[in-house]
Amino acid sequence: MGFLTDSTHAHIATWVVAIVIFLIAALGKQSKGLHMTLRLFYILIIITGGALFFQYQTNDPMLYGMKFLGGILVIGMMEMVLVRQKKNKPTGLFWILFAVFLFITLFLGFKLPIGLDFLA
């Protein structure tokens, strides 16, 4: 059970830090170093999320697969917002998609058996 909580906490920590870095980069002045740091966190999120996926996807493969896909889409929208901002292109649609995919992914993540139950 210790590995479960360590893996879950590592995954949560990586995506929380990534979202904070993303918001700083998107709402503040972008820097190449900040963007590259965020890309490192994308990799860490995928590694920790993939480890959890392959360890627990036998419990409910469809929901775990949808959460994995949602996580990839969140990362994609984060990257699209930053790249389009850098090119001075409109980002409104990608912000909306980021928020929608983030909500879906968080909902699924907390609903799944290894998620946290805030109301318990």
Side-chain angles (χ1 to χ4, degrees):
M1 191 69 170
F3 177 74
L4 167 65
T5 57
D6 292 344
S7 297
T8 304
H9 290 149
H11 184 60
I12 291 171
T14 56
W15 61 254
V16 166
V17 170
I19 289 174
V20 169
I21 294 171
F22 166 69
L23 291 174
I24 291 169
L27 301 176
K29 186 174 183 335
Q30 281 194 34
S31 74
K32 190 169 190 136
L34 196 58
H35 198 165
M36 293 308 289
T37 302
L38 183 58
R39 287 177 175 160
L40 171 66
F41 274 89
Y42 295 160
I43 293 168
L44 294 173
I45 291 168
I46 292 169
I47 290 170
T48 58
L52 289 171
F53 173 76
F54 289 114
Q55 187 174 3
Y56 295 102
Q57 56 97 15
T58 56
N59 295 343
D60 193 347
M62 187 176 93
L63 282 180
Y64 279 96
M66 289 177 65
K67 187 206 177 277
F68 192 85
L69 177 62
I72 297 295
L73 289 170
V74 169
I75 290 171
M77 294 308 107
M78 291 164 70
E79 188 66 13
M80 289 298 293
V81 166
L82 293 178
V83 169
R84 289 181 69 86
Q85 271 185 347
K86 187 175 182 180
K87 294 180 178 182
N88 293 320
K89 292 185 176 179
T91 59
L93 174 65
F94 295 102
W95 275 105
I96 293 167
L97 290 172
F98 164 74
V100 168
F101 292 142
L102 180 63
F103 175 78
I104 291 168
T105 304
L106 289 174
F107 178 79
L108 287 174
F110 291 125
K111 180 180 178 358
L112 290 168
I114 62 170
L116 304 173
D117 189 0
F118 289 119
L119 303 175

